[in-house]
Amino acid sequence: MKITGGAKAKSVEAMFSSIAHRYDFLNHFLSLGFDITWRKKAIACFSDLRGKKILDVACGTGDLAITIAKAGDETTRITAGDFSREMIEIGKTKIKEADLDSAVTMEFSDALNLTYHDNSFDGVTCAFGVRNFAGLNRGLSEMTRVLKPGGRMVILEFTQPSNPVFGALYKFYFTQMLPAVGGLLSGNKDAYKYLPDTVYQFPAPDKLSAMLEGLGLERVEFNPLTFGICGIHTGIKK
Ligand SMILES: C[S@@+](CC[C@H](N)C(=O)[O-])C[C@H]1O[C@@H](n2cnc3c(N)ncnc32)[C@H](O)[C@@H]1O
């Protein structure tokens, strides 16, 4: 299936596919396991997952989808989509191993061109995905379109720490050490240089909040996590 977003989307897809086999290990290793807590906090934005249909966009190897399934019950249904087939294949294996096949459906899905009907999900989530979209506004607009009125959008994304001292230390780790270690262990140094590059280029939380409001979300909030390394954006579709 053709993907939307031209050369940028193709190179993002190729890069994630090339590191898919080391992705989970490096996520946990390079974040010192914090990514697990961040995903749990993101899912805690949903007060009740019973009977809810959730779409997880740019799901990667499925960690957020699995977190949702574990937080919900046997009536919670998750559709998890990504445009990297390598990521999806690893995710499918993890879902089978966790015995969550009845809760989670993993499939090829292009975030810039979602094939789902308007107003079809009670919740739409995306962890560390929107920063990679070849068209941010288009991806956010698609996520909003498929969300039901009253449904909640939850976006977990890296941010820049606001404390200047911590920010400088973190920048050294993020721009110098992480590409070196990530590159060595994944075999793709560019992928781990791409990560800090995209974080420093990404719109600040207030700008992202304004975009979400412009797309028709209300009660838009941003909650920073772990000294502002990342944060949770959430809003409700009007
Ligand atoms: C940093 S990973 C995050 C994966 C996962 N959500 C997590 O929490 O670990 C970013 C993912 O976004 C996916 N991605 C980027 N642009 C996409 C698009 N337009 N459509 C679908 N997936 C996309 C990549 O293939 C990759 O798996």
Side-chain angles (χ1 to χ4, degrees):
M1 196 188 285
K2 208 171 156 296
I3 58 174
T4 318
K8 177 174 174 188
K10 282 199 190 108
S11 76
V12 168
E13 184 279 317
M15 184 194 69
F16 280 108
S17 292
S18 80
I19 60 165
H21 64 296
R22 299 298 271 167
Y23 180 78
D24 284 344
F25 165 73
L26 280 166
N27 254 356
H28 306 326
F29 181 70
L30 294 170
S31 74
L32 308 175
F34 274 105
D35 66 307
I36 297 168
T37 318
W38 295 334
R39 287 193 185 81
K40 283 189 182 151
K41 289 208 163 146
I43 295 318
C45 294
F46 293 102
S47 50
D48 187 0
L49 284 162
R50 282 173 301 174
K52 297 288 191 296
K53 266 181 74 184
I54 310 290
L55 174 67
D56 184 37
V57 174
C59 66
T61 59
D63 274 1
L64 192 68
I66 290 171
T67 310
I68 302 168
K70 287 183 175 165
D73 70 1
E74 68 285 353
T75 61
T76 309
R77 289 288 172 272
I78 304 116
T79 302
D82 199 284
F83 68 8
S84 161
R85 294 188 192 279
E86 281 76 1
M87 291 289 224
I88 298 170
E89 283 317 308
I90 292 168
K92 281 185 174 166
T93 306
K94 284 162 61 178
I95 282 155
K96 207 174 186 50
E97 282 169 5
D99 201 16
L100 290 170
D101 310 74
S102 52
V104 184
T105 305
M106 279 198 96
E107 57 196 25
F108 175 90
S109 172
D110 180 356
L112 304 192
N113 196 14
L114 295 174
T115 51
Y116 314 108
H117 294 299
D118 296 358
N119 311 323
S120 47
F121 292 94
D122 301 291
V124 176
T125 59
C126 189
F128 310 112
V130 297
R131 183 175 35 84
N132 303 288
F133 290 170
L136 176 60
N137 203 57
R138 177 160 177 163
L140 296 176
S141 156
E142 279 291 88
M143 289 165 65
T144 308
R145 178 182 66 76
V146 300
L147 189 60
K148 288 181 189 171
R152 181 179 290 277
M153 188 181 302
V154 177
I155 296 172
L156 178 61
E157 194 47 89
F158 286 111
T159 47
Q160 298 185 40
S162 53
N163 179 296
V165 178
F166 179 74
L169 285 172
Y170 181 69
K171 192 167 188 175
F172 175 73
Y173 168 73
F174 207 43
T175 61
Q176 307 299 319
M177 289 172 66
L178 182 138
V181 179
L184 195 70
L185 296 178
S186 70
N188 186 341
K189 187 168 182 190
D190 286 348
Y192 286 88
K193 190 179 166 318
Y194 164 92
L195 171 59
D197 287 350
T198 52
V199 172
Y200 288 106
Q201 284 158 17
F202 193 66
D206 56 338
K207 294 229 168 64
L208 193 66
S209 294
M211 287 176 85
L212 295 175
E213 279 165 354
L215 288 167
L217 297 190
E218 60 185 2
R219 287 189 270 152
V220 171
E221 284 174 24
F222 172 71
N223 291 302
L225 301 171
T226 320
F227 306 110
I229 289 175
C230 71
I232 301 168
H233 296 264
T234 178
I236 308 286
K237 183 166 167 181
K238 284 181 201 160

